[in-house]
Amino acid sequence: MRGARIAGTGRELPSRVVTNEDLTKLMDTTDEWIVQRTGIRERRFADPSAGNSHMGAAAGRKAIAQAGISVEDVGLLVFATLSPDYYFPGCGVMVQAQLGMPTVGALDVRDQCTGFLYGLSVAEAYVKGGFHDYVLVIGSELHSKGLNFSTAGRDTAVIFGDGAGAVVVGPAENGKGILSSHLHSEGKHAAELCVEEPGFLKSPWLTHETIDSGKHYPKMNGKYVFAHAVRRFPEVIRESLAKNGYTASDLALLIPHQANQRITQAVGAAMELPEGKVFSNIERYGNTTAASIPIALDECLEQGRIREGDLVCLAAFGSGFTWASTLIRW
Ligand code: COA
């Protein structure tokens, strides 16, 4: 079976920077609280006229250019997000239209912070299986239009930010590229981090009460999420290493989903990795959910943090709960 590698990456961040200080004008919070608990200093918020798909398409366009291919070469498009332009259809078809792609399949993935790695595993399988030569995977998130910026929503409003990242997955030779992907879920924890309504458990699925009670805002049991994240991240990273006969000392770089700096530090410590081997940019972007790993990957490559031959692990944990890892020989 042929291999699959990341042939190009791209990112798109809104230009508007929102600092912790800016948020203190909207809710009862402080820069000190946010930095100490999350490591976040600022995040980006999209222009109100922009849609999620516009950011995703821009990131996708850059990844395609960097891969040295054209939109006609892409056989499948995968779009991961929890903040789509429309309830339906998904953002994938929006990107197909905006990029002027041929009428290829557009698959939408709904696995929140783990969504990008779920999408990447689909691309890996299609390319390794020889079904397509190039698959475009986008992770894009527009949180700023869906957060509660009053004190009642401060536990989540300070965490999330907007942005998009994308990769092109293409064929690989000589055992290089994506070695394996490992996906997990445990739905019994779904209510601990979710947007409860609107949803089709209710009839009708959207009511005035939904809005009045604020059930359309994210709901998070922060301590509970934290406890599961610091257990599942190391577990799934070790799973990918063991599957391929490696240990953590073989890793050149770990790129975790940027959930919270304290989670990233705990994971790095559990894996006994020095700080320089664990990438973090949460300080500047906050948690961009499905976009955080492809944004981070694009920055790592730009900064020369990944060299040919390096063993790199991507890992994520999020709502669902879902968690996953991808091990790559660069
Ligand atoms: N500013 C100031 N105070 C805040 C606040 C904010 N933005 N958000 C919450 N608080 C308050 C709480 O109301 C609480 O006040 P109380 O003691 O008077 O009730 C106090 O701070 C402590 O809240 P708590 O939830 O116990 O804090 P914490 O130490 O657990 O930190 C999180 C909160 C959300 C930062 C932390 O739980 C966390 O990072 N969890 C993981 C979240 C995550 O990564 N989610 C994404 C997963 S992909």
Side-chain angles (χ1 to χ4, degrees):
M1 191 163 64
R2 69 176 177 174
R5 72 184 182 98
I6 292 177
T9 61
R11 66 180 188 274
E12 177 73 11
L13 276 312
S15 57
R16 184 176 159 213
V17 176
V18 176
T19 64
N20 293 344
E21 203 54 42
D22 293 332
L23 295 181
T24 64
K25 294 171 186 128
L26 305 172
M27 64 189 82
D28 182 14
T29 190
T30 61
D31 175 58
E32 193 190 9
W33 192 98
I34 301 170
V35 173
Q36 273 181 8
R37 306 285 177 125
T38 70
I40 300 164
R41 292 184 187 278
E42 59 188 42
R43 71 286 292 144
R44 304 294 180 93
F45 281 178
D47 186 276
S49 65
N52 183 333
S53 66
H54 301 110
M55 283 191 303
R61 198 176 285 117
K62 290 175 190 170
I64 288 170
Q66 206 198 79
I69 61 168
S70 70
V71 287
E72 285 77 26
D73 299 316
V74 176
L76 177 72
L77 164 60
V78 183
F79 199 110
T81 193
L82 61 71
S83 48
D85 292 2
Y86 297 102
Y87 192 84
F88 75 83
C91 279
V93 297
M94 306 297 156
V95 171
Q96 182 275 333
Q98 287 169 34
L99 292 187
M101 297 174 79
T103 57
V104 296
L107 176 69
D108 280 79
V109 173
R110 295 193 52 170
D111 288 286
Q112 302 68 248
C113 300
T114 316
F116 177 76
L117 293 190
Y118 269 61
L120 188 59
S121 76
V122 172
E124 176 196 355
Y126 270 99
V127 172
K128 284 186 175 174
F131 300 104
H132 294 296
D133 285 337
Y134 294 100
V135 177
L136 175 62
V137 186
I138 299 171
S140 183
E141 223 62 80
L142 208 165
H143 282 294
S144 59
K145 293 185 194 178
L147 297 171
N148 179 356
F149 290 108
S150 75
T151 297
R154 64 183 177 174
D155 62 329
T156 47
V158 302
I159 288 179
F160 295 109
D162 301 341
V167 304
V168 168
V169 177
E173 309 290 338
N174 309 325
K176 287 202 173 159
I178 300 172
L179 302 179
S180 59
S181 294
H182 305 268
L183 314 182
H184 295 279
S185 71
E186 196 170 31
K188 69 182 181 187
H189 307 295
E192 308 298 339
L193 176 52
C194 66
V195 171
E196 275 186 296
E197 294 180 17
F200 290 89
L201 265 179
K202 274 196 60 164
S203 181
W205 77 300
L206 171 62
T207 61
H208 288 289
E209 199 267 332
T210 296
I211 309 287
D212 296 342
S213 60
K215 286 191 178 145
H216 58 302
Y217 292 127
K219 185 185 90 170
M220 180 174 75
N221 182 345
K223 282 196 192 327
Y224 192 89
V225 173
F226 196 102
H228 282 261
V230 297
R231 179 175 139 224
R232 295 304 193 183
F233 265 111
E235 203 177 88
V236 78
I237 295 164
R238 285 196 189 100
E239 183 183 345
S240 71
L241 291 167
K243 165 82 182 169
N244 295 282
Y246 296 116
T247 65
S249 61
D250 295 308
L251 275 179
L253 190 64
L254 169 66
I255 305 180
H257 160 57
Q258 305 290 302
N260 176 314
Q261 186 58 17
R262 287 192 300 148
I263 292 177
T264 295
Q265 282 166 348
V267 172
M271 298 306 301
E272 297 182 25
L273 289 168
E275 215 174 282
K277 284 191 173 187
V278 184
F279 185 75
S280 172
N281 62 7
I282 195 167
E283 189 181 46
R284 289 177 285 125
Y285 303 135
N287 179 340
T288 56
T289 314
S292 90
I293 290 180
I295 291 172
L297 187 57
D298 191 49
E299 289 198 336
C300 286
L301 289 163
E302 195 175 82
Q303 294 167 12
R305 303 244 343 229
I306 300 175
R307 291 167 204 273
E308 201 176 337
D310 277 355
L311 189 66
V312 177
C313 187
L314 315 178
F317 176 90
S319 157
F321 292 151
T322 55
W323 61 102
S325 64
T326 307
L327 195 66
I328 304 171
R329 174 65 72 188
W330 215 268

